Amino acid sequence: MIIEAFLLAHAMFLKNNILLIIWTLAILLLTILPGGYFPKVPSFMDLFSPDKLVHFFIFGLLNIFAIFSFGKQYSFQVLRSYKTLFAMIYSISLGGITEILQGVMNWGRQASIYDFIENTIGCFIGLWIYYKLIKKKLKKNN
């Protein structure tokens, strides 16, 4: 009985978070693998190059996925109650972790404070999209 409840809770956790888990793994894969073909950012003025806009997109989408995933957590009520806060913590932390890993691992990637800034801005853009567009639409449909 206890084992069945444990397995059911974990199965529901995976079901509710599969998109977030897949997107997180994709981000880790894309940001840790060697990337000598990506252009370097020499100055603050190049902060909004096409490469940096990708950071906005992937971390904005990550944050939206995290908000929805955490909002479905009935087993972990605190995640559900504070879904946007935990989504921001998760997304910004992942952005920092990827940059730290790029700096530590010698796989042809370099850590960049500008990338971390872009990752964080992307998280805030995802939060804004959630509140201004998605949440508003969800309320309208209910």
Short mmCIF file of all heavy atoms in Angstrom, two decimals, residues 65-124:
data_model
loop_
_atom_site.label_atom_id
_atom_site.label_comp_id
_atom_site.label_asym_id
_atom_site.label_seq_id
_atom_site.Cartn_x
_atom_site.Cartn_y
_atom_site.Cartn_z
N PHE A 65 7.26 26.91 -18.57
CA PHE A 65 7.06 25.47 -18.31
C PHE A 65 7.12 25.20 -16.80
O PHE A 65 6.34 24.40 -16.28
CB PHE A 65 8.12 24.63 -19.02
CG PHE A 65 7.98 24.58 -20.51
CD1 PHE A 65 9.06 24.20 -21.28
CD2 PHE A 65 6.80 24.89 -21.15
CE1 PHE A 65 8.96 24.12 -22.67
CE2 PHE A 65 6.68 24.82 -22.53
CZ PHE A 65 7.77 24.44 -23.29
N ALA A 66 8.05 25.84 -16.11
CA ALA A 66 8.19 25.63 -14.67
C ALA A 66 6.96 26.14 -13.92
O ALA A 66 6.48 25.48 -12.98
CB ALA A 66 9.46 26.32 -14.15
N ILE A 67 6.43 27.28 -14.31
CA ILE A 67 5.23 27.81 -13.66
C ILE A 67 4.08 26.83 -13.80
O ILE A 67 3.38 26.50 -12.82
CB ILE A 67 4.85 29.19 -14.22
CG1 ILE A 67 5.88 30.24 -13.82
CG2 ILE A 67 3.45 29.61 -13.73
CD1 ILE A 67 5.75 31.57 -14.55
N PHE A 68 3.86 26.32 -15.00
CA PHE A 68 2.78 25.36 -15.21
C PHE A 68 3.04 24.06 -14.46
O PHE A 68 2.13 23.48 -13.86
CB PHE A 68 2.57 25.09 -16.70
CG PHE A 68 1.74 26.13 -17.36
CD1 PHE A 68 2.31 27.03 -18.23
CD2 PHE A 68 0.37 26.22 -17.12
CE1 PHE A 68 1.54 28.01 -18.84
CE2 PHE A 68 -0.40 27.18 -17.72
CZ PHE A 68 0.18 28.09 -18.59
N SER A 69 4.28 23.57 -14.49
CA SER A 69 4.61 22.31 -13.80
C SER A 69 4.42 22.44 -12.30
O SER A 69 3.81 21.57 -11.66
CB SER A 69 6.05 21.90 -14.10
OG SER A 69 6.19 21.57 -15.45
N PHE A 70 4.94 23.51 -11.72
CA PHE A 70 4.82 23.69 -10.28
C PHE A 70 3.37 23.94 -9.88
O PHE A 70 2.96 23.60 -8.78
CB PHE A 70 5.72 24.82 -9.79
CG PHE A 70 7.19 24.56 -9.98
CD1 PHE A 70 8.09 25.60 -9.99
CD2 PHE A 70 7.68 23.27 -10.14
CE1 PHE A 70 9.45 25.37 -10.15
CE2 PHE A 70 9.04 23.02 -10.30
CZ PHE A 70 9.92 24.08 -10.30
N GLY A 71 2.59 24.53 -10.76
CA GLY A 71 1.18 24.77 -10.48
C GLY A 71 0.34 23.51 -10.43
O GLY A 71 -0.78 23.52 -9.94
N LYS A 72 0.89 22.40 -10.92
CA LYS A 72 0.18 21.12 -10.92
C LYS A 72 0.61 20.22 -9.77
O LYS A 72 0.21 19.06 -9.71
CB LYS A 72 0.42 20.39 -12.24
CG LYS A 72 -0.17 21.08 -13.43
CD LYS A 72 0.16 20.31 -14.68
CE LYS A 72 -0.35 21.03 -15.91
NZ LYS A 72 0.02 20.30 -17.13
N GLN A 73 1.41 20.72 -8.86
CA GLN A 73 1.96 19.90 -7.78
C GLN A 73 1.00 19.83 -6.60
O GLN A 73 1.01 20.69 -5.74
CB GLN A 73 3.32 20.43 -7.34
CG GLN A 73 4.36 20.38 -8.39
CD GLN A 73 4.50 19.01 -9.02
OE1 GLN A 73 4.59 18.01 -8.32
NE2 GLN A 73 4.50 18.96 -10.33
N TYR A 74 0.17 18.82 -6.58
CA TYR A 74 -0.75 18.63 -5.46
C TYR A 74 -0.07 17.90 -4.31
O TYR A 74 -0.46 18.04 -3.17
CB TYR A 74 -2.00 17.89 -5.93
CG TYR A 74 -2.80 18.73 -6.90
CD1 TYR A 74 -2.67 18.55 -8.27
CD2 TYR A 74 -3.63 19.73 -6.44
CE1 TYR A 74 -3.38 19.34 -9.15
CE2 TYR A 74 -4.34 20.54 -7.32
CZ TYR A 74 -4.22 20.34 -8.67
OH TYR A 74 -4.91 21.13 -9.55
N SER A 75 0.97 17.12 -4.61
CA SER A 75 1.71 16.42 -3.56
C SER A 75 2.64 17.38 -2.82
O SER A 75 2.96 17.16 -1.66
CB SER A 75 2.54 15.29 -4.15
OG SER A 75 1.71 14.34 -4.77
N PHE A 76 3.10 18.40 -3.49
CA PHE A 76 4.01 19.39 -2.91
C PHE A 76 3.29 20.75 -2.94
O PHE A 76 3.52 21.57 -3.82
CB PHE A 76 5.32 19.44 -3.70
CG PHE A 76 5.97 18.09 -3.83
CD1 PHE A 76 5.86 17.37 -5.01
CD2 PHE A 76 6.68 17.55 -2.78
CE1 PHE A 76 6.46 16.12 -5.13
CE2 PHE A 76 7.28 16.30 -2.89
CZ PHE A 76 7.17 15.59 -4.07
N GLN A 77 2.44 20.96 -1.97
CA GLN A 77 1.56 22.12 -1.94
C GLN A 77 2.32 23.45 -1.97
O GLN A 77 1.86 24.41 -2.57
CB GLN A 77 0.64 22.06 -0.72
CG GLN A 77 -0.47 23.07 -0.73
CD GLN A 77 -1.44 22.89 -1.89
OE1 GLN A 77 -1.74 21.80 -2.30
NE2 GLN A 77 -1.90 23.99 -2.43
N VAL A 78 3.49 23.49 -1.33
CA VAL A 78 4.25 24.74 -1.30
C VAL A 78 4.68 25.14 -2.72
O VAL A 78 4.69 26.33 -3.05
CB VAL A 78 5.44 24.65 -0.32
CG1 VAL A 78 6.52 23.72 -0.84
CG2 VAL A 78 6.00 26.03 -0.04
N LEU A 79 5.03 24.16 -3.56
CA LEU A 79 5.38 24.48 -4.96
C LEU A 79 4.18 25.06 -5.68
O LEU A 79 4.30 26.00 -6.47
CB LEU A 79 5.85 23.22 -5.69
CG LEU A 79 7.27 22.76 -5.46
CD1 LEU A 79 7.54 21.48 -6.22
CD2 LEU A 79 8.27 23.83 -5.84
N ARG A 80 3.02 24.48 -5.43
CA ARG A 80 1.79 24.95 -6.10
C ARG A 80 1.41 26.36 -5.61
O ARG A 80 1.01 27.21 -6.39
CB ARG A 80 0.66 23.97 -5.82
CG ARG A 80 -0.57 24.27 -6.61
CD ARG A 80 -1.53 23.08 -6.55
NE ARG A 80 -2.65 23.34 -7.39
CZ ARG A 80 -3.86 23.63 -6.95
NH1 ARG A 80 -4.09 23.64 -5.66
NH2 ARG A 80 -4.83 23.88 -7.78
N SER A 81 1.54 26.58 -4.32
CA SER A 81 1.15 27.87 -3.75
C SER A 81 2.05 29.02 -4.20
O SER A 81 1.59 30.14 -4.36
CB SER A 81 1.16 27.79 -2.22
OG SER A 81 0.23 26.83 -1.78
N TYR A 82 3.31 28.74 -4.37
CA TYR A 82 4.29 29.77 -4.75
C TYR A 82 4.95 29.41 -6.08
O TYR A 82 6.16 29.53 -6.23
CB TYR A 82 5.35 29.92 -3.65
CG TYR A 82 4.76 30.33 -2.32
CD1 TYR A 82 4.55 29.39 -1.32
CD2 TYR A 82 4.41 31.65 -2.09
CE1 TYR A 82 4.01 29.75 -0.10
CE2 TYR A 82 3.86 32.03 -0.87
CZ TYR A 82 3.66 31.08 0.12
OH TYR A 82 3.11 31.45 1.32
N LYS A 83 4.16 29.01 -7.03
CA LYS A 83 4.69 28.49 -8.29
C LYS A 83 5.55 29.49 -9.04
O LYS A 83 6.59 29.12 -9.58
CB LYS A 83 3.55 27.98 -9.19
CG LYS A 83 2.57 29.04 -9.62
CD LYS A 83 1.42 28.44 -10.38
CE LYS A 83 0.40 29.53 -10.68
NZ LYS A 83 -0.81 28.97 -11.23
N THR A 84 5.16 30.75 -9.07
CA THR A 84 5.97 31.72 -9.83
C THR A 84 7.30 32.00 -9.13
O THR A 84 8.33 32.13 -9.79
CB THR A 84 5.21 33.03 -10.09
OG1 THR A 84 4.74 33.57 -8.85
CG2 THR A 84 4.04 32.80 -11.02
N LEU A 85 7.29 32.06 -7.81
CA LEU A 85 8.53 32.27 -7.07
C LEU A 85 9.49 31.10 -7.28
O LEU A 85 10.66 31.31 -7.63
CB LEU A 85 8.25 32.44 -5.57
CG LEU A 85 9.48 32.49 -4.67
CD1 LEU A 85 10.31 33.74 -4.96
CD2 LEU A 85 9.07 32.45 -3.21
N PHE A 86 9.00 29.88 -7.12
CA PHE A 86 9.86 28.71 -7.31
C PHE A 86 10.28 28.55 -8.76
O PHE A 86 11.40 28.10 -9.04
CB PHE A 86 9.18 27.44 -6.78
CG PHE A 86 9.24 27.33 -5.29
CD1 PHE A 86 8.10 27.49 -4.53
CD2 PHE A 86 10.44 27.08 -4.64
CE1 PHE A 86 8.15 27.40 -3.15
CE2 PHE A 86 10.50 26.98 -3.26
CZ PHE A 86 9.35 27.14 -2.51
N ALA A 87 9.43 28.93 -9.69
CA ALA A 87 9.80 28.86 -11.11
C ALA A 87 10.94 29.83 -11.40
O ALA A 87 11.88 29.48 -12.12
CB ALA A 87 8.59 29.17 -11.99
N MET A 88 10.87 31.04 -10.85
CA MET A 88 11.95 32.01 -11.04
C MET A 88 13.25 31.50 -10.41
O MET A 88 14.32 31.60 -11.02
CB MET A 88 11.57 33.37 -10.46
CG MET A 88 10.52 34.11 -11.26
SD MET A 88 11.06 34.54 -12.93
CE MET A 88 12.27 35.81 -12.57
N ILE A 89 13.16 30.99 -9.18
CA ILE A 89 14.35 30.46 -8.51
C ILE A 89 14.96 29.33 -9.34
O ILE A 89 16.18 29.29 -9.57
CB ILE A 89 14.02 29.99 -7.09
CG1 ILE A 89 13.68 31.19 -6.20
CG2 ILE A 89 15.17 29.18 -6.49
CD1 ILE A 89 13.08 30.82 -4.85
N TYR A 90 14.12 28.42 -9.79
CA TYR A 90 14.58 27.28 -10.59
C TYR A 90 15.24 27.75 -11.89
O TYR A 90 16.35 27.34 -12.22
CB TYR A 90 13.39 26.36 -10.89
CG TYR A 90 13.74 25.20 -11.78
CD1 TYR A 90 14.37 24.08 -11.26
CD2 TYR A 90 13.46 25.22 -13.14
CE1 TYR A 90 14.70 23.01 -12.07
CE2 TYR A 90 13.80 24.16 -13.96
CZ TYR A 90 14.41 23.05 -13.41
OH TYR A 90 14.75 22.00 -14.22
N SER A 91 14.56 28.63 -12.62
CA SER A 91 15.05 29.05 -13.94
C SER A 91 16.33 29.88 -13.84
O SER A 91 17.27 29.65 -14.60
CB SER A 91 13.95 29.85 -14.65
OG SER A 91 12.80 29.07 -14.82
N ILE A 92 16.36 30.82 -12.91
CA ILE A 92 17.56 31.65 -12.75
C ILE A 92 18.73 30.79 -12.26
O ILE A 92 19.86 30.94 -12.71
CB ILE A 92 17.29 32.85 -11.82
CG1 ILE A 92 16.33 33.83 -12.52
CG2 ILE A 92 18.59 33.55 -11.44
CD1 ILE A 92 15.82 34.95 -11.62
N SER A 93 18.44 29.86 -11.35
CA SER A 93 19.49 28.96 -10.85
C SER A 93 20.05 28.11 -11.98
O SER A 93 21.27 27.93 -12.07
CB SER A 93 18.94 28.05 -9.75
OG SER A 93 18.55 28.81 -8.64
N LEU A 94 19.17 27.58 -12.83
CA LEU A 94 19.65 26.77 -13.95
C LEU A 94 20.52 27.62 -14.88
O LEU A 94 21.54 27.15 -15.38
CB LEU A 94 18.49 26.15 -14.73
CG LEU A 94 18.91 25.20 -15.85
CD1 LEU A 94 19.64 23.99 -15.30
CD2 LEU A 94 17.70 24.77 -16.66
N GLY A 95 20.13 28.88 -15.10
CA GLY A 95 20.94 29.78 -15.92
C GLY A 95 22.32 29.99 -15.32
O GLY A 95 23.33 30.00 -16.04
N GLY A 96 22.40 30.12 -14.00
CA GLY A 96 23.68 30.27 -13.33
C GLY A 96 24.50 28.99 -13.35
O GLY A 96 25.71 29.01 -13.60
N ILE A 97 23.82 27.88 -13.13
CA ILE A 97 24.51 26.58 -13.13
C ILE A 97 25.13 26.29 -14.50
O ILE A 97 26.26 25.81 -14.58
CB ILE A 97 23.55 25.46 -12.69
CG1 ILE A 97 23.26 25.59 -11.20
CG2 ILE A 97 24.12 24.08 -13.01
CD1 ILE A 97 22.10 24.73 -10.71
N THR A 98 24.40 26.59 -15.57
CA THR A 98 24.94 26.34 -16.90
C THR A 98 26.20 27.17 -17.15
O THR A 98 27.16 26.68 -17.74
CB THR A 98 23.91 26.59 -18.02
OG1 THR A 98 23.48 27.95 -17.97
CG2 THR A 98 22.73 25.65 -17.91
N GLU A 99 26.19 28.40 -16.67
CA GLU A 99 27.37 29.24 -16.86
C GLU A 99 28.54 28.75 -16.01
O GLU A 99 29.69 28.75 -16.47
CB GLU A 99 27.06 30.71 -16.55
CG GLU A 99 26.12 31.34 -17.56
CD GLU A 99 26.57 31.17 -18.99
OE1 GLU A 99 27.76 31.41 -19.30
OE2 GLU A 99 25.73 30.79 -19.82
N ILE A 100 28.27 28.32 -14.80
CA ILE A 100 29.33 27.77 -13.95
C ILE A 100 29.91 26.51 -14.59
O ILE A 100 31.14 26.34 -14.66
CB ILE A 100 28.80 27.47 -12.54
CG1 ILE A 100 28.50 28.79 -11.81
CG2 ILE A 100 29.79 26.63 -11.74
CD1 ILE A 100 27.71 28.64 -10.53
N LEU A 101 29.04 25.62 -15.08
CA LEU A 101 29.52 24.40 -15.74
C LEU A 101 30.36 24.73 -16.96
O LEU A 101 31.38 24.06 -17.22
CB LEU A 101 28.34 23.50 -16.13
CG LEU A 101 27.64 22.79 -14.98
CD1 LEU A 101 26.40 22.06 -15.49
CD2 LEU A 101 28.58 21.83 -14.28
N GLN A 102 29.96 25.74 -17.73
CA GLN A 102 30.76 26.12 -18.90
C GLN A 102 32.14 26.60 -18.48
O GLN A 102 33.12 26.38 -19.19
CB GLN A 102 30.05 27.21 -19.70
CG GLN A 102 28.86 26.70 -20.46
CD GLN A 102 28.12 27.82 -21.18
OE1 GLN A 102 28.50 28.99 -21.12
NE2 GLN A 102 27.05 27.46 -21.86
N GLY A 103 32.21 27.28 -17.35
CA GLY A 103 33.51 27.76 -16.87
C GLY A 103 34.38 26.67 -16.28
O GLY A 103 35.60 26.70 -16.41
N VAL A 104 33.76 25.68 -15.66
CA VAL A 104 34.51 24.63 -14.97
C VAL A 104 34.93 23.52 -15.92
O VAL A 104 36.05 23.02 -15.84
CB VAL A 104 33.65 24.05 -13.81
CG1 VAL A 104 34.30 22.82 -13.21
CG2 VAL A 104 33.41 25.10 -12.76
N MET A 105 34.03 23.14 -16.80
CA MET A 105 34.32 22.03 -17.72
C MET A 105 35.10 22.55 -18.91
O MET A 105 34.77 23.58 -19.47
CB MET A 105 33.02 21.37 -18.16
CG MET A 105 32.19 20.98 -16.95
SD MET A 105 30.79 19.99 -17.29
CE MET A 105 31.45 18.41 -17.47
N ASN A 106 36.12 21.86 -19.28
CA ASN A 106 36.99 22.30 -20.36
C ASN A 106 36.52 21.66 -21.68
O ASN A 106 37.24 20.85 -22.25
CB ASN A 106 38.44 21.95 -20.03
CG ASN A 106 39.40 22.63 -20.95
OD1 ASN A 106 39.04 23.56 -21.67
ND2 ASN A 106 40.64 22.19 -20.93
N TRP A 107 35.35 22.04 -22.14
CA TRP A 107 34.78 21.46 -23.36
C TRP A 107 34.62 22.48 -24.47
O TRP A 107 33.78 22.35 -25.33
CB TRP A 107 33.42 20.83 -23.06
CG TRP A 107 33.50 19.59 -22.21
CD1 TRP A 107 34.63 18.92 -21.83
CD2 TRP A 107 32.41 18.87 -21.66
NE1 TRP A 107 34.31 17.84 -21.07
CE2 TRP A 107 32.94 17.78 -20.94
CE3 TRP A 107 31.04 19.04 -21.69
CZ2 TRP A 107 32.15 16.87 -20.27
CZ3 TRP A 107 30.25 18.12 -21.01
CH2 TRP A 107 30.80 17.06 -20.32
N GLY A 108 35.41 23.51 -24.44
CA GLY A 108 35.37 24.50 -25.51
C GLY A 108 34.33 25.59 -25.30
O GLY A 108 34.06 26.36 -26.21
N ARG A 109 33.75 25.65 -24.13
CA ARG A 109 32.79 26.71 -23.81
C ARG A 109 33.38 27.58 -22.71
O ARG A 109 34.21 27.13 -21.94
CB ARG A 109 31.46 26.12 -23.32
CG ARG A 109 30.76 25.15 -24.23
CD ARG A 109 30.15 25.80 -25.43
NE ARG A 109 29.10 26.71 -25.08
CZ ARG A 109 27.89 26.69 -25.59
NH1 ARG A 109 27.57 25.77 -26.47
NH2 ARG A 109 27.01 27.59 -25.27
N GLN A 110 32.91 28.82 -22.67
CA GLN A 110 33.38 29.73 -21.62
C GLN A 110 32.18 30.32 -20.90
O GLN A 110 31.15 30.60 -21.51
CB GLN A 110 34.20 30.86 -22.22
CG GLN A 110 35.51 30.42 -22.81
CD GLN A 110 36.29 31.58 -23.37
OE1 GLN A 110 35.77 32.67 -23.55
NE2 GLN A 110 37.56 31.35 -23.65
N ALA A 111 32.34 30.49 -19.60
CA ALA A 111 31.30 31.15 -18.81
C ALA A 111 31.26 32.62 -19.19
O ALA A 111 32.28 33.21 -19.53
CB ALA A 111 31.58 30.99 -17.32
N SER A 112 30.07 33.20 -19.15
CA SER A 112 29.92 34.61 -19.50
C SER A 112 28.86 35.24 -18.60
O SER A 112 27.74 34.74 -18.50
CB SER A 112 29.50 34.75 -20.96
OG SER A 112 29.09 36.07 -21.24
N ILE A 113 29.22 36.33 -17.97
CA ILE A 113 28.26 37.06 -17.15
C ILE A 113 27.14 37.60 -18.03
O ILE A 113 25.99 37.68 -17.61
CB ILE A 113 28.95 38.19 -16.33
CG1 ILE A 113 27.97 38.82 -15.33
CG2 ILE A 113 29.50 39.26 -17.26
CD1 ILE A 113 27.55 37.90 -14.22
N TYR A 114 27.47 37.93 -19.29
CA TYR A 114 26.45 38.44 -20.21
C TYR A 114 25.41 37.35 -20.52
O TYR A 114 24.22 37.63 -20.61
CB TYR A 114 27.07 38.94 -21.50
CG TYR A 114 27.96 40.14 -21.29
CD1 TYR A 114 29.30 40.11 -21.65
CD2 TYR A 114 27.47 41.31 -20.72
CE1 TYR A 114 30.12 41.19 -21.45
CE2 TYR A 114 28.29 42.41 -20.51
CZ TYR A 114 29.60 42.34 -20.88
OH TYR A 114 30.41 43.42 -20.69
N ASP A 115 25.86 36.11 -20.66
CA ASP A 115 24.92 35.01 -20.87
C ASP A 115 24.01 34.84 -19.66
O ASP A 115 22.81 34.61 -19.79
CB ASP A 115 25.65 33.70 -21.16
CG ASP A 115 26.23 33.65 -22.57
OD1 ASP A 115 25.92 34.54 -23.38
OD2 ASP A 115 27.01 32.71 -22.84
N PHE A 116 24.60 34.93 -18.47
CA PHE A 116 23.78 34.82 -17.26
C PHE A 116 22.75 35.95 -17.19
O PHE A 116 21.60 35.72 -16.82
CB PHE A 116 24.65 34.80 -16.01
CG PHE A 116 23.85 34.74 -14.74
CD1 PHE A 116 23.16 33.59 -14.41
CD2 PHE A 116 23.76 35.83 -13.90
CE1 PHE A 116 22.39 33.52 -13.25
CE2 PHE A 116 23.00 35.78 -12.75
CZ PHE A 116 22.32 34.63 -12.42
N ILE A 117 23.17 37.15 -17.55
CA ILE A 117 22.23 38.29 -17.57
C ILE A 117 21.11 38.02 -18.56
O ILE A 117 19.93 38.24 -18.26
CB ILE A 117 22.97 39.60 -17.90
CG1 ILE A 117 23.89 40.00 -16.75
CG2 ILE A 117 21.98 40.72 -18.21
CD1 ILE A 117 24.87 41.10 -17.08
N GLU A 118 21.46 37.52 -19.74
CA GLU A 118 20.44 37.20 -20.75
C GLU A 118 19.51 36.09 -20.28
O GLU A 118 18.30 36.14 -20.51
CB GLU A 118 21.10 36.80 -22.08
CG GLU A 118 21.88 37.91 -22.73
CD GLU A 118 21.00 39.07 -23.18
OE1 GLU A 118 19.83 38.85 -23.52
OE2 GLU A 118 21.52 40.19 -23.20
N ASN A 119 20.08 35.08 -19.63
CA ASN A 119 19.25 34.00 -19.08
C ASN A 119 18.24 34.56 -18.09
O ASN A 119 17.06 34.20 -18.11
CB ASN A 119 20.12 32.95 -18.38
CG ASN A 119 21.10 32.27 -19.31
OD1 ASN A 119 21.01 32.36 -20.53
ND2 ASN A 119 22.07 31.59 -18.72
N THR A 120 18.71 35.43 -17.21
CA THR A 120 17.85 36.02 -16.18
C THR A 120 16.79 36.91 -16.80
O THR A 120 15.62 36.85 -16.40
CB THR A 120 18.70 36.80 -15.16
OG1 THR A 120 19.69 35.90 -14.61
CG2 THR A 120 17.85 37.37 -14.05
N ILE A 121 17.17 37.72 -17.77
CA ILE A 121 16.19 38.56 -18.47
C ILE A 121 15.14 37.67 -19.14
O ILE A 121 13.94 37.96 -19.10
CB ILE A 121 16.87 39.49 -19.49
CG1 ILE A 121 17.70 40.55 -18.77
CG2 ILE A 121 15.84 40.16 -20.40
CD1 ILE A 121 18.61 41.36 -19.68
N GLY A 122 15.58 36.58 -19.75
CA GLY A 122 14.65 35.63 -20.36
C GLY A 122 13.66 35.08 -19.35
O GLY A 122 12.47 34.92 -19.65
N CYS A 123 14.12 34.79 -18.13
CA CYS A 123 13.23 34.30 -17.07
C CYS A 123 12.17 35.35 -16.74
O CYS A 123 10.98 35.01 -16.58
CB CYS A 123 14.02 33.95 -15.82
SG CYS A 123 15.15 32.56 -16.03
N PHE A 124 12.58 36.61 -16.65
CA PHE A 124 11.62 37.68 -16.36
C PHE A 124 10.65 37.89 -17.53
O PHE A 124 9.48 38.18 -17.31
CB PHE A 124 12.34 38.98 -15.99
CG PHE A 124 12.80 39.00 -14.56
CD1 PHE A 124 14.11 38.73 -14.24
CD2 PHE A 124 11.90 39.27 -13.53
CE1 PHE A 124 14.54 38.72 -12.92
CE2 PHE A 124 12.31 39.28 -12.21
CZ PHE A 124 13.63 39.01 -11.90
#
